[in-house]
Amino acid sequence: MPRRTLVLLAGVGALSVLHARSRGRDDRHRARIAALDPDADHREIAHTLSAYEFPWDTETALSLALFRTFAVPTISRILLDSRAFTDDTRKRYDDTELLLAEVEEHGYDGDRGREALRRINRMHAAYPIRPIDLTYVLSTFVAEPRYWIERYGWREVTEAEHAAGWRYWRELAARMGVPGMPEDLDTFLAWNREFERAEFRYDPANHEVADATMTMYLSEIYGVPAPLLPAARQAALALLEPELVAALGYDEPPAWVRTAVHGALRARAHLLRWLVPPRTRPYRITEVSRPTYPFGYRIADLGTFPDADEAAKAGSRDGVLPSDMPAAVGFPT
């Protein structure tokens, strides 16, 4: 490479560093978080991370977390029987995202947050869900954003931020009546991986639910044209471990695709770190335009509505407040 080109690239790099440093890319939101208490202010910290610091990363990680749940046959069979993720995939995806976002944006003790939790709990109560599967689904919401940001985030998450996020999910679990929550995050993360080793296995229901969701996600969320869907599917599968790919009934993507996808996401992290200014306005999932709800939505209309008699027999599953929840002594079976 000519010396003049090298000098030019070095100059651009130096200016980029100075430009990024002058904006305080690291400090604007992190300094505010550092002034908060991870215990008392955990919801504000969790919201700042997802709405300002890592909005795309968090949303993408939670979307991929869905595919982990599809690899558990006791979960995928219920989803397939309900037809929600196969017959009306986009609506089911939007409903899941919106219900979780209502709680995160408005707080689990706010009016909209409580209404969203009631809708989630009553919907879950109508199906024969194993308690341990509920615990696992929530564990993916805890684990996957953490692992994604460790690998592809533009900065590291501090221990205080991890602690605040863990407190947020424990509080949410209590209000959802999710059993078996441990006291510490490391125990929960270890259990998450042990559960997957024991429960991930191929079932036709896994593939049917996963493929309908992936096709919708690539074509409707990311707007991939139909001729490019096979290539885009390979790139998406490169984000999943080989054992998860197999449990979902897909062929393993080529090694070079995994390398290329990983490199592209690491390059994105560096661009965000050095060239993209910090967000000044929060990213709110509830404000994203959706063809499913072109004129807005009511929380009461989100989710599935199984047979009324079946739902009545199952109960309301309103959850319990943390003060009423007995200390976890193990995980449900």
Side-chain angles (χ1 to χ4, degrees):
M1 184 177 294
R3 184 174 180 179
R4 181 179 299 178
T5 303
L6 289 173
V7 171
L8 178 61
L9 289 175
V12 170
L15 288 174
S16 298
V17 171
L18 291 173
H19 178 55
R21 291 297 188 188
S22 71
R23 289 195 321 268
R25 177 66 163 117
D26 274 311
D27 298 333
R28 179 176 301 188
H29 299 301
R30 191 156 64 171
R32 182 161 63 90
I33 291 173
L36 299 173
D37 181 84
D39 193 48
D41 304 313
H42 63 273
R43 198 194 73 79
E44 183 177 351
I45 293 173
H47 176 67
T48 301
L49 289 173
S50 63
Y52 289 95
E53 294 287 75
F54 303 104
W56 184 83
D57 300 273
T58 302
E59 187 175 11
T60 301
L62 291 176
S63 297
L64 292 174
L66 277 178
F67 289 91
R68 307 191 81 83
T69 68
F70 299 158
V72 180
T74 51
I75 296 175
S76 66
R77 290 170 190 164
I78 291 175
L79 295 174
L80 183 61
D81 288 345
S82 75
R83 308 306 303 178
F85 267 99
T86 50
D87 291 355
D88 201 357
T89 310
R90 178 60 191 269
K91 182 181 185 303
R92 186 68 180 96
Y93 175 86
D94 284 347
D95 290 354
T96 300
E97 191 172 54
L98 288 169
L99 285 167
L100 289 173
E102 285 286 349
V103 180
E104 190 268 321
E105 292 178 15
H106 299 286
Y108 31 67
D109 290 329
D111 290 342
R112 291 187 69 86
R114 291 173 72 93
E115 184 181 359
L117 279 169
R118 284 194 296 271
R119 183 80 276 276
I120 291 171
N121 291 338
R122 288 170 178 165
M123 179 172 58
H124 285 167
Y127 299 98
I129 303 171
R130 295 189 305 171
I132 197 171
D133 286 342
L134 282 175
T135 308
Y136 171 65
V137 171
L138 189 125
S139 78
T140 67
F141 297 159
V142 176
E144 296 316 308
R146 177 189 178 104
Y147 296 146
W148 177 278
I149 292 171
E150 285 177 351
R151 191 177 298 123
Y152 303 123
W154 66 269
R155 72 163 174 87
E156 293 182 353
V157 175
T158 67
E159 286 304 313
E161 290 167 344
H162 280 312
W166 171 232
R167 172 66 187 275
Y168 172 81
W169 287 110
R170 275 182 57 81
E171 295 283 347
L172 187 64
R175 287 158 175 79
M176 290 176 63
V178 175
M181 295 294 292
E183 292 296 327
D184 66 280
L185 175 58
D186 289 341
T187 299
F188 200 39
L189 294 176
W191 178 84
N192 166 272
R193 288 312 191 222
E194 286 296 327
F195 179 92
E196 292 181 344
R197 280 190 284 271
E199 299 285 340
F200 277 8
R201 61 184 181 277
Y202 173 73
D203 187 280
N206 298 5
H207 184 75
E208 189 165 348
V209 174
D211 205 52
T213 303
M214 183 172 291
T215 300
M216 179 282 300
Y217 191 73
L218 294 173
S219 61
E220 297 188 35
I221 305 296
Y222 276 92
V224 177
L228 298 180
L229 278 177
R233 186 176 284 105
Q234 291 291 299
L237 291 173
L239 297 171
L240 309 178
E241 302 96 313
E243 55 270 24
L244 177 54
V245 172
L248 295 175
Y250 290 107
D251 294 329
E252 173 68 8
W256 70 265
V257 175
R258 287 191 179 276
T259 301
V261 170
H262 175 78
L265 289 169
R266 289 303 305 151
R268 170 187 173 273
H270 287 296
L271 288 174
L272 288 177
R273 173 70 183 88
W274 299 114
L275 298 178
V276 179
R279 296 186 67 91
T280 58
R281 184 178 181 278
Y283 172 76
R284 294 191 176 95
I285 288 176
T286 56
E287 296 177 354
V288 174
S289 176
R290 300 170 189 272
T292 313
Y293 300 106
F295 306 109
Y297 63 90
R298 297 189 312 157
I299 294 174
D301 295 332
L302 300 178
T304 58
F305 294 86
D307 180 77
D309 291 336
E310 182 183 9
K313 291 176 184 177
S316 65
R317 196 182 179 85
D318 278 332
V320 293
L321 293 176
S323 59
D324 300 325
M325 192 174 187
V329 293
F331 291 100
T333 58

